[in-house]
């Protein structure tokens, strides 16, 4: 996903936590600052691992709290593979960019890039 968005015609600048954040700081503080002050959008890759992660849960709820009613479209849920668990109810009212749907797969990257480029 990173290569497709950064090194293609989209040329987006992504903040990838494991790549761009230096070690030694409080995970919760860094995540909050990135979401609130440095990033216009947050892509949430919905997976079974995501559902088991307290960090992902915090980051998602924090991003949602900054955009009540999704007016600013700050959070973009992405589904890349099928899941055993149920889709999170907290995200059920936000349009998902779904790579698992054969009908929309060919437009996936364009839709995701456009959503990320919104003002």
């Amino acid at each position: 996903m990173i290569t497709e968005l950064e090194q293609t015609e989209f040329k987006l600048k992504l903040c990838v936590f494991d790549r761009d954040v230096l070690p030694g700081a409080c995970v919760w503080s860094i995540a909050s600052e990135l979401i609130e002050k440095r990033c216009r959008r947050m892509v949430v890759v919905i997976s079974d691992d995501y559902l088991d992660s307290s960090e992902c849960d915090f980051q998602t709820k924090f991003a949602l709290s900054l955009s009540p009613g999704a007016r600013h479209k700050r959070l973009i849920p992405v589904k890349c593979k099928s899941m055993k668990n149920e889709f999170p109810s907290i995200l059920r009212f936000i349009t998902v960019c779904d790579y698992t749907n054969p009908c929309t797969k060919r437009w996936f990257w364009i839709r995701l890039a456009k959503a990320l480029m919104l003002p």
Side-chain angles (χ1 to χ4, degrees):
M1 183 178 291
I2 296 165
T3 303
E4 187 66 38
L5 295 171
E6 286 185 333
Q7 298 174 8
T8 59
E9 71 271 11
F10 304 123
K11 293 186 178 25
L12 291 167
K13 289 183 183 180
L14 304 179
C15 176
V16 181
F17 198 86
D18 292 336
R19 179 189 72 185
D20 300 327
V21 174
L22 297 175
C26 174
V27 174
W28 308 108
S29 299
I30 293 293
S32 301
E33 183 178 331
L34 288 172
I35 294 167
E36 185 174 15
K37 297 178 181 165
R38 291 187 49 205
C39 299
R40 289 186 299 160
R41 305 273 180 275
M42 180 175 148
V43 173
V44 178
V45 179
I46 308 299
S47 66
D48 290 319
D49 290 334
Y50 159 87
L51 295 173
D52 293 334
S53 168
S54 58
E55 291 89 357
C56 290
D57 184 56
F58 166 77
Q59 292 169 6
T60 300
K61 288 176 180 171
F62 185 76
L64 285 172
S65 75
L66 297 174
S67 181
R71 283 191 300 262
H72 301 293
K73 298 177 183 77
R74 185 179 284 268
L75 192 72
I76 302 168
V78 172
K79 186 176 177 188
C80 289
K81 60 183 177 180
S82 58
M83 300 173 10
K84 296 174 188 168
N85 296 310
E86 191 174 315
F87 195 81
S89 61
I90 194 169
L91 299 175
R92 71 176 171 240
F93 297 112
I94 300 176
T95 307
V96 176
C97 200
D98 190 353
Y99 193 71
T100 65
N101 184 344
C103 296
T104 60
K105 195 171 193 171
R106 65 180 196 217
W107 301 302
F108 175 84
W109 294 112
I110 295 168
R111 290 181 70 226
L112 180 56
K114 283 183 179 181
L116 288 167
M117 290 187 276
L118 287 173

